[in-house]
Amino acid sequence: MSNNPPEKSYSYEQAGVSIAAGNALVKAIAPLARATARPGADAELGGFGGFFDPRAAGYKDPLLVAANDGVGTKVKLAIDHDRHDRIGIDLVAMCVNDLIVQGAEPLFFLDYFATGKLVGGVAERVVAGIAEGCRMAGCALIGGETAEMPGMYADGDYDLAGFCVGAVERGEQLTGDRVAAEDQLLGLASSGVHSNGYSLVRRLAADKGWKLDRPALFDPDRLLIDHLIEPTRIYVKTLLPLIRDGRIKALAHITGGGLLENIPRVLPRGLHAEVFADLWEQPRLMAFLQAQGNIEPQEMARTFNCGVGMVLAVAPDQAESVARDLAAAGETVHNIGRIVPGERGCTVIGSAEAWSARDGWRATHNA
């Protein structure tokens, strides 16, 4: 008879992964997914994959368009300041705004949430934001993946990825090939920094000693963190009718690379975009960031959206009606420039004067 102690029995939960917690999460978020159901998808969770029927969505000969993205280091702000409820809107927005610029209607969305340990209802709050973003974009949340990975993330940390598929009838996709010299550029106002440039924002916050839980210097009625965490605007429902009636020639989603690098992505060879910075007022938050970091105007135009989250190229005789209809739908519209012959690219003209830093905001933000 052996006197050796019994060998220890290991379990997945002892290793840091709770299958029960994962199952509870799926049960908790199932009603959120059901609330995003739309023609073509029932948005029920629990299977190994999600189905979508393009014919039920009204398409006859659709091209499918796919996009995926994340939220970048903006998610770190959400984690550090307990702002988990709306970061999911950013995740959806970054994907669906990339689809609409192709002329595609977002149909269904899947998310990936990875963390060290599921705790405190954080995942449910994040997914609730994802579901809200899907409703705003008119697409169904048909599935996703939640991964507990002990040792991969510090306590409380998580990361997000989103995947979206849209459709456009064959021949109606936006490729930029219709853009011509003298076309007008319309800019739709952003809701804030959106989801790009946050590594620089966070570096400024650390170096300048910003108190994010205090009122912003440029807005005493609102906390600075609330300005910085404002979700990315979703432009799908306001743009889709104008795309379908043929009045929009091209769209550029202003993400990483800012105005300078995103507008040329939708231009044919031999055409150049001229953007006039004095045609719209840079939002107070953007001016604050520029002043605090002493950021050169061209660097601003390459890093941030500078108050313009989406750019439209339209024929000169359509610009007024497009702007009027978008304004009626709730967008703030600026006529920001034009298309001219030249090497494919973008020039922001007058930015040094129009985006001059305000001396009153150069002080360290410690109010």
Side-chain angles (χ1 to χ4, degrees):
M1 182 176 181
S2 173
N3 293 323
N4 293 331
E7 189 171 339
K8 180 180 178 180
S9 176
Y10 287 81
S11 71
Y12 207 9
E13 187 154 2
Q14 288 173 336
V17 178
S18 173
I19 295 175
N23 290 337
L25 174 61
V26 172
K27 185 176 181 180
I29 65 177
L32 301 174
R34 281 196 294 272
T36 70
R38 54 151 295 156
D42 58 17
E44 288 286 343
L45 301 184
F48 288 95
F51 289 96
F52 193 93
D53 182 357
R55 287 188 179 180
Y59 286 90
K60 299 176 181 178
D61 185 19
L63 296 174
L64 297 182
V65 187
N68 72 296
D69 212 333
V71 181
T73 60
K74 187 175 184 177
V75 76
K76 187 62 174 170
L77 281 182
I79 292 167
D80 291 346
H81 297 273
D82 192 30
R83 296 297 204 278
H84 309 291
D85 301 271
R86 305 190 75 195
I87 196 71
I89 298 176
D90 286 286
L91 186 67
V92 175
M94 295 302 289
C95 294
V96 299
N97 286 342
D98 276 354
L99 292 182
I100 198 67
V101 300
Q102 310 294 316
E105 176 190 10
L107 300 178
F108 59 87
F109 190 89
L110 300 98
D111 69 279
Y112 176 78
F113 178 96
T115 187
K117 186 174 181 61
L118 291 169
V119 292
V122 170
E124 289 91 332
R125 292 167 65 187
V126 172
V127 175
I130 293 172
E132 182 180 353
C134 285
R135 289 193 296 272
M136 294 167 69
C139 63
L141 177 60
I142 66 171
E145 171 69 7
T146 303
E148 276 190 297
M149 297 188 288
M152 284 290 290
Y153 297 89
D155 289 347
D157 280 356
Y158 60 84
D159 200 9
L160 302 171
F163 309 85
C164 195
V165 172
V168 57
E169 291 288 7
R170 191 180 304 273
E172 296 180 5
Q173 64 270 26
L174 295 181
T175 63
D177 59 343
R178 294 167 52 211
V179 177
E182 302 305 323
D183 282 347
Q184 299 296 297
L185 295 176
L186 302 180
L188 304 187
S190 64
S191 55
V193 184
H194 283 185
S195 295
N196 297 101
Y198 277 89
S199 294
L200 176 53
V201 171
R202 292 173 53 247
R203 175 66 179 270
L204 284 173
D207 287 356
K208 301 295 182 178
W210 295 350
K211 306 298 183 185
L212 273 63
D213 59 348
R214 304 283 182 86
L217 284 177
F218 54 87
D219 183 2
D221 296 326
R222 196 177 186 203
L223 301 182
L224 180 56
I225 181 60
D226 291 331
H227 278 281
L228 294 176
I229 207 71
E230 183 70 26
T232 305
R233 186 166 180 82
I234 292 175
Y235 299 98
V236 170
K237 289 187 176 180
T238 53
L239 287 174
L240 197 56
L242 299 175
I243 292 170
R244 287 177 169 168
D245 70 17
R247 283 187 285 166
I248 295 177
K249 291 188 175 184
L251 290 165
H253 184 200
I254 308 305
T255 55
L259 295 162
L260 288 179
E261 296 187 8
N262 284 290
I263 297 176
R265 295 170 65 180
V266 299
L267 298 182
R269 290 184 179 179
L271 293 179
H272 191 89
E274 289 185 342
V275 174
F276 299 94
D278 59 353
L279 292 178
W280 79 98
E281 184 177 357
Q282 186 173 209
R284 294 173 298 169
L285 172 59
M286 295 293 171
F288 170 76
L289 293 172
Q290 183 178 11
Q292 289 277 296
N294 195 28
I295 303 171
E296 294 293 331
Q298 290 296 98
E299 182 68 14
M300 283 293 296
R302 181 173 281 110
T303 303
F304 298 113
N305 62 58
C306 299
V308 175
M310 186 72 72
V311 173
L312 297 67
V314 298
D317 60 351
Q318 297 281 358
E320 184 176 349
S321 69
V322 168
R324 183 179 59 246
D325 289 351
L326 286 170
E331 300 290 352
T332 299
V333 188
H334 307 287
N335 191 333
I336 66 170
R338 63 185 181 181
I339 302 298
V340 297
E343 183 179 355
R344 184 164 56 191
C346 176
T347 302
V348 179
I349 300 168
S351 56
E353 296 78 14
W355 296 344
S356 59
R358 303 184 187 182
D359 291 337
W361 296 345
R362 288 188 180 275
T364 300
H365 184 86
N366 55 11

